[in-house]
Amino acid sequence: MDILVCIKRIPDISGQITLDASGTDIDDAGLGHTTSAHEECAVELAIQTAAATGGTVTVLTVGPAEAVEQLRAAVAVGANDGILIEAEDPGAFGPEDIAQIIGDIVRDRAEQGQSFDLVLLGNDAADTGDFQVGIRLAYDLEYPVLTGIQTLTSSGGGAGSGGGSGSIEARGIGPAGTEVFALDLPAVIAIQEGGVDPRYPSITGRMKAKKARITEYVAPEPGTGNPRIGLELPPEKTSEVTILGEGPDAADALVDVLEEIGVIRS
Amino acid sequence: MTLVFVETDESGQVVLTSAEAVTFARTNADVLAGSTLDVAVIGALPDTATEQLAALGVETIHHLEHSDLEAYSAPAWAQALVDIAPETGTVLASGTPRGMELMAHVAVRTGSRMAANVVAADEEGLLRQVLGGTAFERLVLDGDLQVLTIAGHACTPEETTATSPEVLDYELDIAAEDLRTRVVRTEVHTVDGNDTSGLTQAKAVVGAGRGVGSENGFGEVLELVDHLGGALGVSRVVTGLGWRPHAEQVGQTGSRIAPDVYIACGISGAIQHMAGIEGAKTLIAINTDEESTMVQRADYAIIGDLHEVVGAVNEEIRNRRG
Ligand SMILES: Cc1cc2nc3c(=O)[nH]c(=O)nc-3n(C[C@H](O)[C@H](O)[C@H](O)COP(=O)(O)OP(=O)(O)OC[C@H]3O[C@@H](n4cnc5c(N)ncnc54)[C@H](O)[C@@H]3O)c2cc1C
């Protein structure tokens, strides 16, 4: 099964963030960058599924030139090649634009003889949290779509199937239990963290990543654009912590607090 | 019209997050372009749910029931919502997995834009959480219909003067194409921790992080959970190490919770974890590091080894019970 995984370069935030001069984006100059957690799991599921069916994994990103780092990181853990759609200012693109750009690439590749059986994305990106690119892409491609999926089991269809054949079983957590879906391919599936552990790159993987084939395109002008007016930071929280004490001696005071709140079972 | 998609649980109650979404719609009616407050319920509509919705001020309940909607299929459910959606106004749901998925389908099918995780609305537009809750994005959705999801626990459900909502039933026509992604079977939750409803609805959550030390280090913490009749919530390090199942993870890529009290044991307070506990009314930290973000952000803290402290807390509770 030939799989396309769409990933996004996001700032790696662990502390306080600040805004840039325009007030419409965060100042990420001093921050490292990474891939969203859901997307790391999507890459892992793609690698496992491709291995089980003798297929390939292509990773794609719409982002700045530096996003090639995230593509190479995916190659280092087992993806075969990458597609960078370079957008100098990714923030100018709305979810409709991103879905459209990816849809165009999928069609373009199909015309060149590379039909993807499955397109995976993360449920939502850790920075924007839009939760709609996968669904918009599926409508654009007229493929069925699932979200919140944590594991995949391929059942039929194999390498070089040329897209459009075979099916896949997908599982995710629903309100009443684990929901199981059976889907005909080609399809779009948005992945939720939790079903698999992303693997670490091996030394040979890292070597391979350096030489990996990354095909580059230039993103078109955003059509619909981003509805963002600006970003705001929450007011700084002033800490008013009451230290109840140190070590087990403070247990008494803590139980008093719990009793006051009324959460101890009688 | 403002139309709210409402979820009910197995006992026929409106779930907490849907009650929040209805309250959000009602309290922001003046800026949401919806002069009436309508809700849509898919599947059975028990009297308990109708009564709850009346107490929340709902004027019309659109009741969508059909054998093809019994098993969940997002496109079919979304089309059912689209069939009753206004041409101008707002369609919204709580930002649960179902709410997010359905609103995205509704947005595409109605040619609308969508904003996820909205926390406020005013004349200047919408404010929504981004970056896992560390920042807010202000935005304006152009178009006649705006489609939103409301961030979990962004507001508290509030009852108002009770209404007697009109219930409208529909004859639905469901396209075969919209059933391609139907759930083929549901494997009911087992003790392996797939049930997150306990965590998101619990009044007391005891959080456990890397500080627990090992897979076998949860004894004291689980006993405390039991004393409080609450739920266990863990950090991503804990699920990443395979100590506990992902369903127990709290945070940006886990559950968002709003308990009366959250007791964070051996959790440092990384932004992605804090994103999940914004709704906690009282935050208590037990940590060896006085400088940790969790201690700094807490209402109360004990500095010390969590095994010793939680062990002593359990003992004290047992003693007071007599
Ligand atoms: C995209 C993305 C998404 C993420 N999503 C989530 C998420 O949903 N949820 C989440 O939790 N994290 C998430 N993370 C991870 C997050 O950044 C942190 O790595 C994680 O929350 C840290 O977990 P921790 O506090 O258990 O561990 P640590 O940060 O290692 O902290 C351990 C704490 O335990 C204390 N401690 C150690 N021993 C003891 C002891 N004996 N007694 C008492 N205290 C002790 C230490 O002082 C320290 O404060 C995400 C990260 C990324 C990049």
Side-chain angles (χ1 to χ4, degrees):
Chain A
M1 202 180 284
D2 293 333
I3 306 171
L4 178 70
V5 193
C6 306
I7 64 174
K8 181 175 183 186
R9 176 182 171 89
I10 54 154
D12 192 352
I13 300 162
S14 51
Q16 205 60 45
I17 56 164
T18 49
L19 300 185
D20 69 8
S22 72
T24 57
D25 226 326
I26 66 166
D27 180 4
D28 66 353
L31 300 174
H33 288 81
T34 183
T35 304
S36 293
H38 299 317
E39 292 159 16
E40 284 179 357
C41 293
V43 170
E44 177 60 35
L45 282 170
I47 292 165
Q48 290 181 9
T49 308
T53 55
T56 61
V57 177
T58 302
V59 277
L60 170 153
T61 193
V62 183
E66 296 83 357
V68 76
E69 256 178 67
Q70 279 61 47
L71 294 176
R72 292 200 191 278
V75 173
V77 290
N80 298 83
D81 60 351
I83 300 173
L84 171 68
I85 300 139
E86 197 180 327
E88 230 173 88
D89 177 16
F93 295 78
E96 295 89 344
D97 300 321
I98 302 291
Q100 180 72 49
I101 291 172
I102 301 171
D104 287 344
I105 294 285
V106 171
R107 279 183 288 267
D108 189 49
R109 285 284 163 121
E111 267 172 30
Q112 293 168 31
Q114 186 187 22
S115 296
F116 296 109
D117 303 282
L118 190 58
V119 182
L120 300 185
L121 306 90
N123 243 9
D124 54 336
D127 55 351
T128 49
D130 276 321
F131 206 101
Q132 35 179 314
V133 173
I135 290 173
R136 290 189 183 277
L137 170 65
Y139 278 87
D140 181 48
L141 292 170
E142 296 180 11
Y143 290 179
V145 58
L146 296 174
T147 66
I149 295 305
Q150 294 187 317
T151 60
L152 295 174
T153 317
S154 58
S155 43
S161 58
S165 71
S167 62
I168 195 145
E169 189 176 271
R171 303 157 81 89
I173 309 287
T178 299
E179 293 177 338
V180 185
F181 302 85
L183 213 56
D184 286 335
L185 301 176
V188 173
I189 299 185
I191 304 298
Q192 157 99 32
E193 187 189 32
V196 281
D197 293 324
R199 67 189 71 188
Y200 292 102
S202 61
I203 293 177
T204 45
R206 286 208 186 97
M207 302 291 288
K208 191 177 132 213
K210 280 190 192 146
K211 292 182 271 171
R213 182 162 49 93
I214 307 287
T215 313
E216 294 183 16
Y217 299 81
V218 175
E221 286 293 304
T224 29
N226 191 337
R228 171 180 294 182
I229 299 171
L231 283 186
E232 295 175 16
L233 296 178
E236 198 141 325
K237 283 198 184 115
T238 46
S239 151
E240 283 175 31
V241 58
T242 304
I243 305 283
L244 297 171
E246 285 191 19
D249 293 345
D252 222 21
L254 180 55
V255 178
D256 287 346
V257 171
L258 295 176
E259 276 186 344
E260 203 177 300
I261 300 171
V263 285
I264 299 182
R265 235 179 13 180
S266 46
Chain B
M1 183 209 294
T2 299
L3 178 71
V4 185
F5 165 67
V6 162
E7 297 174 69
T8 55
D9 65 16
E10 283 142 29
S11 63
Q13 301 277 326
V14 170
V15 300
L16 173 69
T17 43
S18 287
E20 292 167 359
V22 172
T23 304
F24 186 94
R26 193 185 75 231
T27 51
N28 291 287
D30 51 336
V31 284
L32 285 181
S35 50
T36 60
L37 180 55
D38 290 28
V39 300
V41 176
I42 297 180
L45 178 66
D47 290 344
T48 44
T50 309
E51 283 158 25
Q52 274 177 290
L53 293 168
L56 290 166
V58 167
E59 288 153 90
T60 308
I61 302 175
H62 302 267
H63 179 216
L64 305 162
E65 204 167 13
H66 189 286
S67 56
D68 281 345
L69 297 180
E70 276 168 25
Y72 178 63
S73 180
W77 282 37
Q79 186 57 43
L81 296 175
V82 167
D83 288 344
I84 53 164
E87 277 174 16
T88 55
T90 309
V91 180
L92 65 92
S94 173
T96 60
R98 286 269 196 277
M100 290 284 202
E101 184 172 37
L102 289 177
M103 290 306 105
H105 279 273
V106 167
V108 186
R109 283 171 186 247
T110 56
S112 311
R113 287 198 134 167
M114 166 178 155
N117 292 316
V118 170
V119 293
D122 59 28
E123 284 74 22
E124 283 177 57
L126 302 166
L127 202 63
R128 72 180 195 101
Q129 286 179 346
V130 290
L131 293 150
T134 19
F136 298 102
E137 178 181 76
R138 190 163 274 289
L139 76 163
V140 171
L141 295 181
D142 46 16
D144 295 330
L145 185 70
Q146 49 182 353
V147 181
L148 328 174
T149 68
I150 309 302
H153 314 311
C155 76
T156 313
E158 260 170 39
E159 297 195 346
T160 179
T161 318
T163 49
S164 24
E166 186 183 3
V167 178
L168 301 178
D169 288 289
Y170 292 83
E171 295 273 324
L172 296 172
D173 199 9
I174 296 174
E177 166 115 335
D178 286 341
L179 297 172
R180 286 187 296 175
T181 51
R182 191 156 35 162
V183 171
V184 292
R185 81 179 173 271
T186 301
E187 292 163 5
V188 177
H189 295 143
T190 52
V191 282
D192 71 1
N194 276 348
D195 186 357
T196 51
S197 59
L199 183 57
T200 50
Q201 311 273 333
K203 294 255 174 266
V205 175
V206 186
R210 193 202 298 268
V212 164
S214 76
E215 191 174 354
N216 303 319
F218 289 81
E220 294 95 357
V221 170
L222 287 169
E223 185 185 335
L224 182 56
V225 167
D226 195 43
H227 287 312
L228 304 181
L232 175 70
V234 301
S235 74
R236 182 162 175 233
V237 167
V238 167
T239 56
L241 289 166
W243 294 350
R244 300 292 304 182
H246 180 269
E248 291 174 359
Q249 183 170 312
V250 169
Q252 186 181 320
T253 52
S255 294
R256 286 167 186 238
I257 58 172
D260 288 344
V261 62
Y262 181 64
I263 309 174
C265 308
I267 301 181
S268 59
I271 273 170
Q272 296 89 353
H273 189 82
M274 301 310 275
I277 60 170
E278 286 280 318
K281 293 196 185 73
T282 302
L283 178 56
I284 301 175
I286 301 174
N287 203 303
T288 43
D289 178 8
E290 194 169 350
E291 300 297 314
S292 67
T293 309
M294 190 60 86
V295 170
Q296 297 303 319
R297 288 282 169 83
D299 298 294
Y300 301 96
I302 295 182
I303 311 306
D305 181 285
L306 74 95
H307 297 287
E308 290 175 17
V309 174
V310 180
V313 168
N314 289 330
E315 197 183 332
E316 179 62 22
I317 294 176
R318 272 185 259 122
N319 289 343
R320 291 197 194 184
R321 276 210 187 107

